Amino acid sequence: MKTVNVKASREYNVCIERGILKDAGEMISAVHKPCKAMLISDTNVAPLYAKTVTDSLCASGFETVSFIIEAGEESKNAVNLALIWEALAENSLTRSDIIIALGGGVVGDLSGFAAATYLRGIEYIQIPTTLLAMVDSSVGGKTAVDLKAGKNLAGAFYQPSLVICDPEALKTLSAQTFSDGMAEVIKYGFINRPELLSLLESDFDIADVIEICVEDKRDIVSLDEKDRGLRQLLNLGHTVGHGIERCSGYSITHGSAVAAGMVIITRAAIKAGICDNGVLEVLIKLLEKFSLPTSCDFTAQEICNAAFNDKKRKGNSITLVIPEKLGESGLVPYDVDKLLDFISGAWKND
Ligand code: GLY
């Protein structure tokens, strides 16, 4: 089994191995004595994997109750959060009990926020079933719900006690959902992992790729858990990507928006003379290999208008993640007034 140890405000392991869903109970009992466990999942994932996980938990002495949300980003809201709190209370879960998040980023973020706030904090376990959740959202303790004004606007930093990744679960993902996860994987390569870029060009084992991404996220989170500086590197392509998502009314998926966002920011950086020319070609080749978009139909003005609401904005300045060399990105504070001019560079051909 591949194990990545994360040292943050809570220390925990991310365990990666094919077929480990059926061992979830045993693995969880190694970090938490048997108790009542609320399994939170969604209408796509529960029919596929909830029984395997529940049987395994029961065999290890856990008593389980479950809460199933409708699959989709619309479920990551304060109404569902309150329904989960009520269900936890109705089922008499105490501070010695746990939440288990079985699903993708929506289930993980919502469950994590419920765990952070119910009884002022109970432990939770992440069992990510999408690639995006395995390489990003299940690790690092960002938990949240969306508000009308934008995504992830209410939440907490709250680390899980264990993350269980079973790459076998990726087999049931749609091609689109797998590609969305690959956008986040590719992102790590361009932030600071050039060796990942070569691996992705080869016939790779996805478990190796997950391990590299989780190690990278671990290294960044352990230095900046609360996202005050270095952790913002993980937002490569995200400011523009969030703008694209908003412009599309969220019909463009997060991964596709981040993919196009990475291309736009790289093109703009090359145009501004702060990024090596060769970076763009490698980026586009990799995105195309995984059927991800390399452009979008919105204008620089539309994207900037939408991106200005980004919660990472500090007063009149926004921190952009700029790819500078192949496999090396940096943080550059940018005056909001100059952002449109900078981003517009991506649309200029001269
Ligand atoms: N998804 C970016 C982060 O965890 O900081």
Side-chain angles (χ1 to χ4, degrees):
M1 183 185 323
K2 299 175 188 294
T3 303
V4 181
N5 180 255
V6 183
K7 285 190 178 69
S9 49
R10 190 195 301 275
E11 183 174 350
Y12 56 97
N13 285 334
V14 180
C15 302
I16 308 157
E17 187 167 274
R18 287 191 165 78
I20 50 169
L21 278 192
K22 64 178 182 337
D23 305 323
E26 200 184 324
M27 295 178 70
I28 296 168
S29 67
V31 297
H32 199 287
K33 63 180 187 333
C35 60
K36 201 176 271 187
M38 174 166 285
L39 184 84
I40 302 179
S41 192
D42 71 26
T43 48
N44 285 343
V45 176
L48 296 169
Y49 305 118
K51 184 173 180 333
T52 305
V53 173
T54 304
D55 287 354
S56 170
L57 284 163
C58 291
S60 292
F62 290 88
E63 184 190 338
T64 62
V65 288
S66 60
F67 190 96
I68 310 298
I69 58 167
E70 201 58 47
E73 182 73 31
E74 307 71 44
S75 287
K76 208 171 102 177
N77 59 46
V79 172
N80 274 334
L81 176 66
L83 289 173
I84 291 171
W85 286 332
E86 294 295 349
L88 289 163
E90 274 161 25
N91 286 287
S92 309
L93 271 83
T94 69
R95 277 211 186 120
S96 318
D97 296 318
I98 58 172
I99 287 176
I100 297 175
L102 173 69
V106 169
V107 165
D109 285 10
L110 182 60
S111 305
F113 196 25
T117 45
Y118 179 66
L119 300 180
R120 299 191 179 86
I122 67 171
E123 287 187 42
Y124 76 114
I125 312 291
Q126 289 272 18
I127 309 185
T129 56
T130 64
L131 183 57
L132 190 148
M134 288 183 194
V135 300
D136 185 25
S137 58
S138 68
V139 182
K142 275 192 180 173
T143 72
V145 293
D146 300 335
L147 301 182
K148 285 198 188 86
K151 284 173 70 172
N152 299 324
L153 290 185
F157 290 97
Y158 194 67
Q159 304 292 337
S161 300
L162 177 68
V163 182
I164 300 173
C165 283
D166 184 347
E168 282 292 306
L170 301 176
K171 286 188 176 156
T172 50
L173 293 184
S174 67
Q176 170 73 58
T177 310
F178 184 81
S179 290
D180 280 341
M182 284 310 301
E184 297 285 352
V185 168
I186 291 168
K187 175 195 82 175
Y188 284 103
F190 285 90
I191 291 173
N192 58 3
R193 288 281 177 157
E195 74 277 18
L196 181 58
L197 300 175
S198 331
L199 182 64
L200 292 176
E201 279 166 9
S202 71
D203 194 11
F204 58 86
D205 178 343
I206 195 70
D208 293 336
V209 165
I210 295 168
E211 184 184 29
I212 292 171
C213 296
V214 171
E215 280 174 351
D216 197 41
K217 182 148 190 188
R218 179 269 317 272
D219 292 348
I220 291 173
V221 166
S222 61
L223 290 170
D224 179 25
E225 181 175 351
K226 295 282 168 71
D227 206 9
R228 302 285 185 241
L230 190 72
R231 187 166 178 167
Q232 292 173 40
L233 282 174
L234 295 169
N235 295 329
L236 175 61
H238 281 61
T239 298
V240 172
H242 285 158
I244 294 171
E245 279 183 277
R246 276 197 203 118
C247 286
S248 77
Y250 295 97
S251 65
I252 296 180
T253 59
H254 179 70
S256 292
V258 167
M262 286 193 286
V263 173
I264 290 169
I265 205 79
T266 304
R267 251 201 196 110
I270 290 172
K271 197 61 65 177
I274 53 174
C275 175
D276 286 354
N277 271 315
V279 177
L280 188 61
E281 194 187 330
V282 181
L283 174 62
I284 289 182
K285 202 167 135 212
L286 271 179
L287 294 175
E288 284 175 347
K289 175 171 178 184
F290 298 101
S291 309
L292 285 158
T294 57
S295 63
C296 74
D297 292 337
F298 306 108
T299 63
Q301 178 77 69
E302 286 168 331
I303 292 171
C304 285
N305 287 348
F308 284 170
N309 279 333
D310 199 296
K311 67 180 179 303
K312 280 112 198 165
R313 179 179 169 178
K314 285 193 198 112
N316 227 20
S317 163
I318 198 158
T319 301
L320 291 183
V321 189
I322 302 293
E324 291 164 344
K325 299 187 174 112
L326 195 57
E328 195 179 316
S329 295
L331 296 173
V332 180
Y334 235 92
D335 195 10
V336 166
D337 299 334
K338 298 196 177 121
L339 196 61
L340 176 61
D341 199 37
F342 174 70
I343 299 289
S344 295
W347 275 259
K348 288 182 188 141
N349 287 323
D350 51 313

